[in-house]
Amino acid sequence: MQRVFCVHYSADSKFVLTGSDETVIRLWRSAAWQKAGPQSSRERAGLLYSKKLLERYAEHPQIKRIKRHRNLPGMVKSISREHSNIKESRRKKEENRRLHSKPGTVPRIPERKKTCGERNFSFIGPVPCCTLYNMYT
């Protein structure tokens, strides 16, 4: 996917439409962890029951943890893990360079200022927006 020029929510806010410069409109689920497609009455009743339980016991610490949990696709999870490992190794290398050089010669640069010029968007094929978001946050 190239640059995204416009984003629009559907009327029921279940889907997100994106338009890119390659004149393609893509349809995304706004809640990617939810099941798509028709649900049986038993599934609907179960989801409604669990939603009511979440509302009732919202302040319980374990319920807060369950509510925050999101299932991510394996590709997104592995890419984000790989990028966190890369960031950690760069941080360690910089610390070692600072430890083994003359004091004051290696300046301390904040992480926010480092990433401004390092973004590389050389992907092959369409990549989901959530992948791009997780890679660079």
Side-chain angles (χ1 to χ4, degrees), residues 14-83:
K14 289 186 178 181
F15 296 99
V16 179
L17 295 154
T18 60
S20 62
D21 64 351
E22 55 187 22
T23 65
V24 174
I25 297 174
R26 287 186 170 84
L27 183 68
W28 309 83
R29 285 185 302 217
S30 59
W33 61 91
Q34 290 179 346
K35 180 184 171 188
Q39 297 174 337
S40 68
S41 59
R42 179 175 271 180
E43 284 176 321
R44 275 195 303 273
L47 288 173
L48 184 64
Y49 180 70
S50 62
K51 186 177 178 182
K52 292 287 184 184
L53 282 177
L54 284 176
E55 289 174 4
R56 184 171 182 179
Y57 298 107
E59 297 305 315
H60 197 276
Q62 288 185 347
I63 299 296
K64 284 183 180 179
R65 183 184 60 81
I66 292 169
K67 205 171 182 182
R68 282 192 317 261
H69 179 74
R70 298 290 182 257
N71 289 324
L72 290 174
M75 181 187 78
V76 173
K77 202 178 277 190
S78 66
I79 288 174
S80 63
R81 192 178 312 120
E82 181 181 338
H83 281 276

Side-chain angles (χ1 to χ4, degrees), residues 29 31 76 91 122-123 133 135:
R29 285 185 302 217
V76 173
R91 186 192 63 77
S122 58
F123 297 110
Y133 175 75
M135 272 188 208

